[in-house]
């Protein structure tokens, strides 16, 4: 099991007048090869939880986080090993890119692992090709001159070069233009097809609905739902109570249902919407 979280509590600035509890007993299990979404409104604790999943924060209060068999709360836990298993892609890629060129940045971890230069280059080449950035074209590019989408893909390449088989992506499309966003989603889907375990965090159900199989909703530091994506995104009462907007396809079906058409509302694609409306209206959908 790549990730197991039990009863996790987090308080910022504990033991001070500014103490603020933001996670209240979170349970989460992520199985090998799964793609799981974590949705939740702003300030619901998503990024705080993400830092536990990547071993950047370690439980100091009640609660347990086990990553690939390593209990990160244990005083002698091998946190360096955790960081070679789970790769974090931060909300702001600028927070994790710090070398001058693309090649140096992606090769940072392999160099630290004392690989020989030829092996480092092979890893960097493979990682860059995997994220759709041809090695010869991008190796010498200054990191600061890349587009937002390219920076995020370099961040993904960096964790792939480290050998991580589980990726935690915190709002990977936030702030990207439509093309950068589509490219990023396509990359995440292809990494999942290649067998990587993926945790994708977003405040947009719209994009999670088409990406993940299972969806966890975090609300005010608590898991408000955890189940098959179809069931969670079509749970109108749950979404209303957390302030998340349903995907457009679900909202459309809810409107049809409210108007008296006997339809199911858990449609995730426009094709499904068309088929369901046609079925309920008793007609045959024309191609
Ligand atoms: N470093 C920090 N120090 C104090 N409070 C923080 C810190 N980081 C986040 N918080 C607070 O914790 C809560 C949860 O934040 P966060 O985990 O970033 O949520 P999300 O990613 O869902 O927006 C927010 O109220 C935020 O203001
Ligand atoms: Mg966040």
């Amino acid at each position: 099991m790549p990730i197991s979280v039990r009863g996790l509590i987090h308080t910022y600035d504990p033991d001070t007048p500014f103490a603020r509890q933001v996670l209240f007993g979170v349970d989460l299990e992520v199985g090998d090869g799964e793609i799981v979404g974590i949705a939740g409104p702003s300030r619901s604790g998503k990024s705080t939880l993400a830092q536990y999943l990547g071993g950047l924060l370690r439980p100091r209060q009640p609660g347990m986080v086990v990553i690939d068999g390593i209990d990160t709360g244990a005083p002698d836990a091998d946190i360096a090993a955790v960081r070679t298993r789970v790769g974090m892609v931060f909300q702001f890629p600028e927070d994790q890119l710090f070398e001058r060129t693309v090649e140096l940045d992606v090769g940072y971890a392999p160099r630290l692992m004392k690989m020989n230069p030829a092996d480092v280059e092979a890893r960097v080449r493979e990682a860059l090709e995997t994220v759709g950035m041809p090695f010869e074209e991008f190796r010498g590019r200054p990191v600061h001159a890349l587009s937002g989408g390219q920076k995020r893909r370099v961040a993904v390449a960096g964790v792939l070069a480290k050998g991580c088989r589980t990726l935690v992506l915190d709002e990977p499309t936030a702030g990207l233009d439509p093309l950068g966003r589509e490219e990023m989603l396509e990359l995440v889907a292809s990494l999942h097809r290649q067998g990587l375990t993926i945790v994708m965090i977003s405040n947009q159900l719209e994009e999670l609905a088409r990406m993940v199989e299972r969806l966890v909703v975090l609300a005010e530091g608590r898991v408000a739902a955890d189940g098959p994506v179809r069931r969670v995104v079509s749970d109108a009462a749950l979404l209303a109570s957390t302030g998340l907007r349903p995907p457009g396809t679900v909202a459309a079906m809810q409107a049809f249902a409210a108007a008296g058409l006997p339809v199911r509302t858990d449609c995730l694609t426009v094709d499904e919407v068309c088929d369901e409306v046609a079925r309920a209206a008793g007609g045959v959908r024309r191609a």
Side-chain angles (χ1 to χ4, degrees):
M1 173 87 55
I3 295 175
S4 171
V5 176
R6 283 286 161 84
L8 181 64
I9 283 171
H10 182 81
T11 304
Y12 283 107
D13 305 311
D15 309 320
T16 75
F18 309 104
R20 184 179 170 149
Q21 187 173 349
V22 299
L23 295 179
F24 297 82
V26 170
D27 296 319
L28 174 68
E29 305 235 306
V30 180
D32 204 20
E34 259 197 298
I35 179 162
V36 177
I38 301 180
S42 287
R43 295 185 292 283
S44 54
K46 302 182 299 297
S47 294
T48 304
L49 176 60
Q51 291 176 69
Y52 280 97
L53 305 183
L56 300 177
L57 286 173
R58 301 167 63 182
R60 299 277 178 242
Q61 292 183 286
M64 199 167 172
V65 177
V66 181
I67 310 282
D68 267 348
I70 302 171
D71 175 357
T72 66
D76 59 348
D78 186 352
I79 295 300
V82 169
R83 300 209 183 127
T84 63
R85 317 275 171 93
V86 179
M88 293 268 315
V89 177
F90 294 97
Q91 194 161 353
F92 304 104
E94 292 71 18
D95 291 349
Q96 75 187 116
L97 306 177
F98 43 85
E99 293 281 348
R100 201 164 32 84
T101 67
V102 168
E103 180 172 12
L104 285 173
D105 210 289
V106 177
Y108 179 80
R111 284 199 306 280
L112 215 59
M113 293 172 196
K114 306 258 184 296
M115 290 181 138
N116 73 52
D119 289 344
V120 172
E121 183 177 313
R123 278 236 187 168
V124 173
R125 178 185 295 272
E126 193 191 344
L128 282 173
E129 304 282 341
T130 301
V131 302
M133 298 175 75
F135 179 69
E136 297 301 341
E137 185 181 341
F138 284 97
R139 64 188 296 185
R141 293 270 189 99
V143 168
H144 67 82
L146 299 173
S147 72
Q150 288 168 336
K151 280 183 187 160
R152 259 175 243 220
R153 283 187 284 146
V154 168
V156 173
V159 300
L160 294 176
K162 231 194 271 185
C164 296
R165 299 288 299 163
T166 298
L167 258 53
V168 176
L169 302 129
D170 193 359
E171 312 253 5
T173 63
L176 297 184
D177 61 24
L179 178 64
R181 186 184 156 101
E182 281 311 310
E183 285 175 347
M184 191 67 209
L185 294 177
E186 183 40 51
L187 170 59
V188 174
S190 93
L191 293 172
H192 176 237
R193 285 194 298 273
Q194 290 166 43
L196 274 77
T197 304
I198 309 270
V199 177
M200 179 172 158
I201 296 171
S202 176
N203 57 11
Q204 308 268 330
L205 283 183
E206 189 86 50
E207 66 180 22
L208 285 175
R210 42 185 268 231
M211 293 290 297
V212 306
E213 294 156 355
R214 191 179 129 210
L215 187 62
V216 174
V217 174
L218 202 62
E220 296 176 353
R222 293 182 169 85
V223 174
D226 180 350
V229 64
R230 254 178 223 286
R231 196 176 76 209
V232 176
V233 298
S234 58
D235 185 336
L238 166 79
L239 299 192
S241 72
T242 57
L244 284 168
R245 284 161 58 92
T249 51
V250 172
M253 297 314 285
Q254 286 168 345
F256 285 125
L261 203 60
V263 289
R264 42 174 259 262
T265 60
D266 62 350
C267 296
L268 300 183
T269 66
V270 171
D271 276 350
E272 284 179 18
V273 169
C274 296
D275 286 345
E276 180 61 7
V277 171
R279 188 199 56 72
V284 177
R285 192 181 159 213
R286 299 167 67 88

